[in-house]
Amino acid sequence: MDTVVQLKEATLAYNKDYCALCSVDLALKPGDRIAVEGEYGCGKTSLLRVIAGLEQLKKGECLLNGRVVNQVDFAHDISLGFLSREPVFFEYKTVRSNLEWVLKSRGVVKSERESLVQKVMDEAELGHLLDKKIRWLSKVEKRLVQIARLMLRPIDILLCDEILEEFDTVAQNSIIKLLKLLLDRAREKCVVIFACTNAKLYHDFAPKVYNLKYGVLSAQGEGNEANIQ
């Protein structure tokens, strides 16, 4: 398959006065890594949510490996990882329980769940957090555990929503180090999209930058009327 992610005239409107995405065209091939830069409220998160099958387009279509996104079985057809801006966990359970639950939901037996979680967290240098409850973790620890959680499985498509912006340089470096480890473990031709307000933070991962403004996508340096193919 030549194209992994493809948007064709993708239009998403939450109401008649606001169009989050306006006739967006985008085609990403195996191994493509891009940054989509824009201000808060420009439609970046909506773009990621459409690709993840979490939003229904008003017009156009989103295809993953040539299949309409709502027909994709993410448990078997495509392995998609979504690093949301606010990590979602069972707050009153431990890190270990949260990670093992992911594997349990995928049918992994208990003995394998325990060993795989321990192995991944040791590799991520986060083993000391395993028995802490999520609610007691700092923001940067939650981000790191969120990334480590995706290391439990190979990834075909990785979506990242402003995962660095709110942190200081020291925390950013820790996140970047673990993100590199995650991408080393991802599939060879993994497609990666970073939604961000500052594309410079992601240059080492995604030198190709697109701009999103008022729901319209354009290549950096081109007019907003451009569509990307």
Side-chain angles (χ1 to χ4, degrees), residues 119 139 202:
K119 178 181 178 181
K139 282 190 174 183
Y202 303 88

Side-chain angles (χ1 to χ4, degrees), residues 77-78 112 137 172 199 215:
D77 300 331
I78 297 173
E112 292 181 8
L137 300 184
Q172 286 177 356

Side-chain angles (χ1 to χ4, degrees), residues 173-185:
N173 287 339
S174 296
I175 295 167
I176 288 170
K177 179 181 177 181
L178 192 55
L179 184 60
K180 289 179 178 178
L181 192 59
L182 169 63
L183 291 176
D184 285 343
R185 294 173 66 100

